[in-house]
Amino acid sequence: MSDSTSTQPVRIVMADDHPIFRDGLRRLLEAEPDLSVIGEAMNAEEAIRLARSLQPDILLLDVAMPEMSGLEALQALSAVPESPRVILLTAAIDKVDIVKALQLGARGVVLKESATSLLLKAIRIVMAGGYWVGRDSVSDLLLALRSLTPTPERTDPLPAFSLTQRELQIVGLIVAAAGNKKIAETLSISEKTVKHHLTNIFEKLGVSSRLELALFAAQHNLTPRV
């Protein structure tokens, strides 16, 4: 029996099409007193069903599964109420797919060749609100995305997205992970004005969140100086 702390074990669902891998992973996870495997899926569709019915804290999702890939499952999970925090497990993944996974809502990407201790650390980092990519905790996701996203060749100083100079300044601060209060202080404007500019920026670029905005900025080399 676990100790008398008030915290409940992290509830985990695993999805992988290889039974031997699932069995070994379940044994490793259940050896940890703060982790509990509450479900196993052999494909992505079953993982989505279990995410809906069991509402786990964490979904460990294999990227390469038959019929529906882990990335496709991530997109489907966006429609699941109270969707779990997803950590992708993969034998190999390129930078483009890591960025796509994060954009689709993944909270972590762990290589299957990693030591068990790294997976356990990734789970705990993600549960604490952080992100994990490869072998490292990511404390600044936006800057990490910039490093993962190829910078396109451009000769024009500003892209043709109809952004004003002030909006470009705000984009630069968002990429630097500044909150609305920090942006307002840096540009000597009100937080209400910052929110107004962000609404306009989102509409012009067709994004709906600060993360999507940061990804868009990285992909299109939007790096204006404040």
Side-chain angles (χ1 to χ4, degrees), residues 13-19 21-22 25 41-45 47 59-66 68-74 77 86-93 108-112:
V13 165
M14 306 182 309
D16 193 287
D17 58 318
H18 293 96
F21 178 82
R22 288 201 315 272
L25 181 57
M42 63 182 299
N43 55 52
E45 291 182 351
L59 172 59
L60 298 178
L61 184 64
D62 183 24
V63 171
M65 287 187 288
M68 180 187 291
S69 71
L71 291 178
E72 290 171 324
L74 264 176
L77 282 165
V86 178
I87 297 176
L88 293 179
L89 301 178
T90 178
I93 189 169
V109 179
V110 177
L111 298 175
K112 287 186 173 181

Side-chain angles (χ1 to χ4, degrees), residues 9 26-36 116 120 124:
R26 176 173 48 78
R27 291 172 185 271
L28 291 170
L29 295 174
E30 291 190 334
E32 300 297 312
D34 60 331
L35 306 179
S36 175
T116 303
L120 298 176
R124 291 168 181 137

Side-chain angles (χ1 to χ4, degrees), residues 100-120:
K100 184 177 181 181
L102 294 171
Q103 188 174 17
L104 289 171
R107 300 296 295 268
V109 179
V110 177
L111 298 175
K112 287 186 173 181
E113 66 182 26
S114 300
T116 303
S117 59
L118 285 185
L119 174 59
L120 298 176

Side-chain angles (χ1 to χ4, degrees), residues 118-141:
L118 285 185
L119 174 59
L120 298 176
K121 190 172 182 180
I123 292 171
R124 291 168 181 137
I125 290 289
V126 167
M127 281 302 299
Y131 290 80
W132 187 278
V133 176
R135 294 178 172 83
D136 300 295
S137 171
V138 176
S139 58
D140 191 331
L141 180 62

Side-chain angles (χ1 to χ4, degrees), residues 22-202:
R22 288 201 315 272
D23 183 61
L25 181 57
R26 176 173 48 78
R27 291 172 185 271
L28 291 170
L29 295 174
E30 291 190 334
E32 300 297 312
D34 60 331
L35 306 179
S36 175
V37 177
I38 62 170
E40 297 182 30
M42 63 182 299
N43 55 52
E45 291 182 351
E46 187 177 0
I48 294 168
R49 288 196 298 271
L50 289 178
R52 289 181 182 275
S53 61
L54 299 179
Q55 296 186 331
D57 302 308
I58 293 284
L59 172 59
L60 298 178
L61 184 64
D62 183 24
V63 171
M65 287 187 288
E67 298 181 14
M68 180 187 291
S69 71
L71 291 178
E72 290 171 324
L74 264 176
Q75 194 159 12
L77 282 165
S78 65
V80 176
E82 303 295 329
S83 59
R85 297 174 184 184
V86 178
I87 297 176
L88 293 179
L89 301 178
T90 178
I93 189 169
D94 58 31
K95 290 182 178 181
V96 173
D97 282 341
I98 291 175
V99 170
K100 184 177 181 181
L102 294 171
Q103 188 174 17
L104 289 171
R107 300 296 295 268
V109 179
V110 177
L111 298 175
K112 287 186 173 181
E113 66 182 26
S114 300
T116 303
S117 59
L118 285 185
L119 174 59
L120 298 176
K121 190 172 182 180
I123 292 171
R124 291 168 181 137
I125 290 289
V126 167
M127 281 302 299
Y131 290 80
W132 187 278
V133 176
R135 294 178 172 83
D136 300 295
S137 171
V138 176
S139 58
D140 191 331
L141 180 62
L142 301 187
L143 293 181
L145 288 172
R146 284 172 57 81
S147 70
L148 289 167
T149 305
T151 301
E153 294 291 333
R154 279 216 347 264
T155 56
D156 56 312
L158 295 177
F161 296 118
S162 301
L163 296 178
T164 67
Q165 186 61 37
R166 176 64 86 198
E167 289 167 348
L168 283 166
Q169 290 177 322
I170 291 175
V171 169
L173 288 164
I174 291 292
V175 170
N180 287 358
K181 183 177 181 180
K182 178 64 175 177
I183 294 173
E185 292 174 350
T186 302
L187 300 180
S188 299
I189 57 179
S190 69
E191 288 189 56
K192 182 177 180 181
T193 300
V194 173
K195 292 176 182 178
H196 175 72
H197 281 307
L198 281 174
T199 297
N200 289 338
I201 292 167
F202 284 7

